[in-house]
Amino acid sequence: MKVIVKDNYEEASLEAFKVMKEVVVNKPNAVLGLATGSTPLGLYKNMIEDHKENGTSYKNITTFNLDEYVGIDRNHPESYYTFMNKNLFSGLDIPAENVHLPYGDKKEDCDAYEKAMENYQVDIQLLGLGGNGHIGFNEPGTSFDETTHIVELQERTRKDNARFFENDINQVPTHAITMGIATIMKANKVLLIATGENKADAVKAMIEGPKDTSCPASALQDHKDVIVILDKAAASKLTK
Ligand code: GLP
C-alpha cells in the first residue's frame, strides 16, 4: 500500500483527483469503479471543474458503482443513484448507458451485476472507508471471497449515515446491495480516501492490523496497487 498523508480534506481530494485524472487521460475508455458517501465529494468537484475548464472527456468512460441501499426508490433523494447523478454524472459528458449501479434485493440482482461487470476490467476502484472498516457496504465479518451480495447494515453504519436521513436512524435502510471484496480486489488499481478523526481507528486496522475480516479494508493489504490518501486526522493513529 502506498500511503499519502495530506494536511486536510481539500488537499486529500486534490491528490485523489490527480490519480483519477491520470487514469482518465491515459485511457479515455477507462472503467472506473465509483463510490458514494461524503468522502469523494471533493474529488468529484475537482473532476467536474476539470471537465468544464480543461475539457477532460468522459464520453468513452464506463462506470460501476460499489453499492446501493435496498428498499429505497432510485429517485429517493438519498439513493446512491440520485447521489451519483447529482454530484458527478450531471457535471460530466458521460453517456447514461455507460453508467452502472447495483440495484435490487435478490440474489438474481447481485448475479446480474456481476454478469454486467464480466465484460469489463475496472482500471481504478475508488473507495471510502466506513468508521468500522467497511469498504462498499462489506461490513466486518464479511468473507473476503464474497462477490456482489445483499448485506444487513450494522448499527454503527446506520448511525453514521443517519445524518443523510434527518438524523433519524429509523429512516436509514437496514440492508444494501454491494460489490463484494472479491469483486473490489479484481480492479487494476485501488484508490482509497479517508479523512477525519472518525476514520482513524479503521485506518490503523486497515494498514497496520492483521489481515482479518474484522476489518474488511485490511483485505487490501493483498492488492498489488493500492493508493491510500489520508488527512492528518485520519492518519493520527498510525505508528509506522
Ligand atoms: C458508506 C458507503 C461507503 C462509504 C462509507 C464512508 O456507508 N457505503 O461506500 O465509503 O460508508 O462514508 P463517508 O464517506 O460518508 O464517511
Side-chain angles (χ1 to χ4, degrees):
M1 284 187 187
K2 182 177 171 196
V3 182
I4 300 171
V5 183
K6 298 303 233 181
D7 278 346
N8 52 44
Y9 176 76
E10 283 68 34
E11 284 185 29
S13 300
L14 193 59
E15 189 69 23
F17 164 67
K18 286 182 195 157
V19 176
M20 184 61 86
K21 178 160 173 169
E22 198 185 332
V23 172
V24 172
V25 167
N26 286 337
K27 192 174 176 192
N29 63 344
V31 180
L32 314 181
L34 296 178
T36 49
S38 312
T39 307
L41 285 173
L43 161 64
Y44 292 165
K45 224 173 117 238
N46 279 295
M47 288 166 74
I48 292 170
E49 269 170 29
D50 170 63
H51 166 67
K52 299 219 155 101
E53 283 164 22
N54 306 314
T56 304
S57 177
Y58 291 76
K59 256 194 327 228
N60 296 310
I61 294 287
T62 298
T63 65
F64 286 92
N65 259 80
L66 279 170
D67 48 15
E68 177 61 283
Y69 291 116
V70 161
I72 181 170
D73 190 86
R74 275 198 150 168
N75 296 317
H76 187 286
E78 294 306 333
S79 79
Y80 286 170
Y81 179 84
T82 302
F83 175 98
M84 289 306 298
N85 282 316
K86 182 170 149 211
N87 294 302
L88 186 65
F89 301 142
S90 60
L92 302 177
D93 59 346
I94 186 163
E97 62 270 24
N98 291 11
V99 162
H100 306 83
L101 285 101
Y103 191 69
D105 57 1
K106 290 186 235 17
K107 183 162 186 319
E108 298 90 86
D109 302 315
C110 302
D111 293 347
Y113 200 59
E114 285 289 324
K115 186 116 192 70
M117 289 186 77
E118 248 171 35
N119 299 322
Y120 297 89
Q121 170 60 44
V122 174
D123 291 290
I124 182 166
Q125 176 65 56
L126 173 66
L127 297 174
L129 182 67
N132 61 4
H134 73 224
I135 46 176
F137 266 134
N138 291 281
E139 297 282 36
T142 308
S143 158
F144 291 171
D145 297 329
E146 283 272 14
T147 55
T148 300
H149 62 289
I150 306 291
V151 289
E152 182 172 3
L153 301 178
Q154 294 190 354
E155 190 169 345
R156 162 92 193 250
T157 299
R158 294 181 66 229
K159 252 192 211 152
D160 282 349
N161 286 0
R163 67 189 192 280
F164 299 113
F165 294 86
E166 299 171 332
N167 286 316
D168 177 8
I169 189 171
N170 298 312
Q171 289 185 42
V172 183
T174 55
H175 291 74
I177 179 170
T178 182
M179 277 187 202
I181 292 173
T183 319
I184 292 169
M185 292 292 280
K186 279 197 249 169
N188 285 341
K189 183 192 255 316
V190 173
L191 169 62
L192 184 145
I193 315 169
T195 58
E197 211 189 328
N198 189 35
K199 305 292 171 72
D201 286 319
V203 165
K204 183 174 168 56
M206 164 176 74
I207 298 173
E208 295 181 355
K211 215 174 20 178
D212 189 84
T213 57
S214 61
C215 176
S218 67
L220 299 172
Q221 291 174 16
D222 271 348
H223 194 284
K224 62 176 193 329
D225 187 2
V226 181
I227 302 179
V228 177
I229 300 178
L230 309 171
D231 69 354
K232 280 188 174 156
S236 60
K237 292 195 174 159
L238 292 176
T239 54
K240 290 174 198 153

